[in-house]
Amino acid sequence: MRYLEAGKRHSVQFTLNGRAVEGEAEPRLLLSDFLRQHLGAFGTHVGCEHGSCGACTVRVDGKAVRSCLSYAVQMEGRAVDTVEGLASAEGLNALQAALQKHHGLQCGFCTPGILMSLSQLHEEEPAADEARIRDVLSGHICRCTGYHGIVQAALEVFGKS
Amino acid sequence: MKPPAFEYLAPASLDEAVAALAGQDAKILAGGQSLVPMLNFRLLAPPLLVDITRIPGLDYIEDWDGGLRIGALTRHYTLETSPLVKARFPVLHAAMAHVAHLAIRNRGTIGGSLCHGDPAAELPGLALLLDAHLKTTKRTIPVAEFYQGALATALGEDEILTEIMLPALPTGTGWGFEEFARRAGDFALTAVGVTVGAEARIVVIGAHETPMRLPAAEALFTDRADIAAVAEAARDEVTPNSDLHASADYRRHLVEVLTRRALTAAWERAA
């Protein structure tokens, strides 16, 4: 049984984009704040901080998760993936390149979260149709694009355009 | 930091969890998709969170004599994508599409949603519609006795929901689920779930402090030709409140429209 005292910092270890990381967190520290303030991983954006906007979405053990609705200490031993892990030495991945091509972003604030949700969808439901893609995008607030370019980009990557 | 300070305990077994809860002003942390926002808003300040997600053996969907037994830590996404759920309880499968969004469904649990007991949440209403039996660390509670008010259940402070038992639906049962929300994934302004077989069951969420069955409207239903009258009776049977999101009159109107649509769909699906 793991017990962590309130108001004190405790060691947390997990893998971030395949690399082992370690830090110290109070039990109440949100994963979103831990990523940005303790690990310097600023790719994950913080919007509403109560699970509505989708900007802070990361993947935990492969599943898209709101990092503002999880505590850093819950990540012990888990695999966390963020937008920083998507591109490789060769350049942007297919989803990122398609968003660029189809003008699927303007200010870019919502983009990291959208990429993490669409990544899970692409891996687990590669046959997803436009309705399913739009259903997943409904969990992400974008005030620039009107979603058109984002949907077009996703349709191309899912082989539906 | 947004949330208030709390002690954190992650028990490795149900026995440890029950012992940790006894006599404590604690909250159980499962998926956290309702609890964590409430803490971020500081609507709650529990001194202790007991994180039950490290307890093994509470995440499963299994046959139960033609129905299903579902472990309390089963995630919404697992329910939504389970072929077994879709085959045996298509109404539950359909309703899951209205539960928030992918990232919330990945994390939220069936047990957490049932125990949180939000009056506008889908799963408590579906549990009532499907006559669920809720197995806890102490006893088995029929869902009709589980909800006592908004966000209030029959659970004791050191009692943990472990399994949701859904009895098999009679062969040929028709079903319908209709929800109206202002935006995709929002809590329902109102939703109506129905099953139609030898008898009709009608459950409304978002119109009362708890999900509610409508026995007077149910009793009127014998045939397709009754649907309009049943929907009107359903409208007259609910007593919703007005709030920021909708007036009581508008919610009553929604109950009528959604009941009509749900019964029509159920009638067409019934064998």
Side-chain angles (χ1 to χ4, degrees):
Chain A
M1 184 157 50
R2 183 157 160 254
Y3 170 76
L4 305 177
E5 199 179 331
K8 295 247 170 73
R9 288 183 167 200
H10 308 273
S11 169
V12 187
Q13 299 180 40
F14 56 86
T15 63
L16 178 63
N17 299 318
R19 191 170 52 88
V21 292
E22 186 175 5
E24 292 198 326
E26 271 190 55
R28 63 171 163 161
L29 186 70
L30 298 170
L31 174 59
S32 47
D33 289 338
F34 186 72
L35 289 171
R36 293 176 58 87
Q37 296 165 13
H38 292 241
L39 300 179
F42 297 109
T44 300
H45 293 165
V46 173
C48 70
E49 297 190 273
H50 60 267
S52 294
C53 78
C56 72
T57 303
V58 301
R59 292 175 74 184
V60 175
D61 293 343
K63 301 291 187 197
V65 159
R66 302 283 201 245
S67 61
C68 73
L69 296 187
S70 289
Y71 298 110
V73 296
Q74 292 180 281
M75 294 304 119
E76 185 69 28
R78 307 287 190 204
V80 179
D81 290 292
T82 63
V83 70
E84 287 98 333
L86 295 183
S88 64
E90 289 84 56
L92 301 178
N93 79 3
L95 278 167
Q96 291 172 308
L99 279 174
Q100 184 183 48
K101 175 182 163 190
H102 291 278
H103 307 287
L105 68 156
Q106 186 176 322
C107 83
F109 195 87
C110 66
T111 314
I114 286 175
L115 281 165
M116 301 321 285
S117 285
L118 287 179
S119 297
Q120 180 196 334
L121 189 69
H122 193 228
E123 281 172 30
E124 298 193 6
E125 302 177 36
D129 59 8
E130 180 172 346
R132 179 63 174 152
I133 289 166
R134 285 183 180 274
D135 175 51
V136 167
L137 289 174
S138 75
H140 294 270
I141 294 178
C142 171
R143 294 296 84 144
C144 298
T145 65
Y147 295 90
H148 182 76
I150 304 172
V151 173
Q152 295 310 309
L155 287 173
E156 181 176 296
V157 174
F158 281 73
K160 294 285 188 317
S161 65
Chain B
M1 276 178 273
K2 300 269 288 184
F6 53 80
E7 292 176 283
Y8 172 91
L9 195 63
S13 70
L14 276 170
D15 287 345
E16 281 184 1
V18 167
L21 290 167
Q24 297 288 325
D25 185 10
K27 289 297 279 184
I28 296 172
L29 173 63
Q33 302 302 286
S34 298
L35 179 62
V36 179
M38 291 174 89
L39 288 170
N40 284 355
F41 281 122
R42 301 206 175 195
L43 296 171
L44 292 175
L48 169 66
L49 287 194
V50 177
D51 180 355
I52 60 171
T53 56
R54 302 273 173 169
I55 300 174
L58 290 174
D59 175 4
Y60 56 87
I61 300 175
E62 289 172 1
D63 171 62
W64 179 47
D65 208 8
L68 291 175
R69 310 166 78 106
I70 302 172
L73 285 181
T74 304
R75 310 279 181 180
H76 298 331
Y77 183 75
T78 310
L79 282 181
E80 181 193 5
T81 54
S82 158
L84 210 49
V85 169
K86 191 175 180 183
R88 299 207 176 159
F89 299 101
V91 66
L92 178 55
H93 171 78
M96 293 312 295
H98 295 274
V99 179
H101 307 107
L102 176 70
I104 309 290
R105 293 180 207 155
N106 277 335
R107 199 88 179 138
T109 66
I110 182 170
S113 178
L114 291 176
C115 294
H116 181 59
D118 192 296
E122 290 82 2
L123 281 165
L126 265 292
L128 185 61
L129 181 69
L130 298 174
D131 205 18
H133 305 271
L134 306 177
K135 194 170 155 194
T136 76
T137 45
K138 291 195 165 133
R139 54 190 165 146
T140 299
I141 310 172
V143 67
E145 294 165 26
F146 191 70
Y147 291 106
Q148 301 183 333
L151 310 181
T153 71
L155 284 174
E157 65 175 17
D158 60 346
E159 187 173 15
I160 301 173
L161 176 63
T162 57
E163 185 177 87
I164 295 84
M165 303 152 79
L166 300 177
L169 287 171
T171 309
T173 300
W175 59 275
F177 184 85
E178 297 287 332
E179 172 165 327
F180 188 79
R182 297 281 290 270
R183 294 167 299 194
D186 276 10
F187 276 113
L189 282 184
T190 300
V192 176
V194 305
T195 54
V196 169
E199 51 163 25
R201 285 175 82 98
I202 304 173
V203 166
V204 174
I205 64 170
H208 192 250
E209 284 202 335
T210 65
M212 77 187 283
R213 276 186 73 180
L214 304 180
E218 288 172 6
L220 290 177
F221 186 78
T222 53
D223 197 345
R224 179 175 195 131
D226 302 327
I227 288 177
V230 174
E232 282 177 32
R235 177 198 64 204
D236 295 339
E237 201 170 350
V238 296
T239 52
N241 291 323
S242 292
D243 63 20
L244 187 65
H245 305 291
S247 67
D249 279 346
Y250 184 54
R251 282 202 164 90
R252 273 196 292 269
H253 169 74
L254 284 175
V255 168
E256 180 183 349
V257 172
L258 299 176
T259 301
R260 193 167 62 228
R261 289 179 187 167
L263 280 174
T264 304
W267 183 262
E268 282 164 9
R269 287 180 181 125

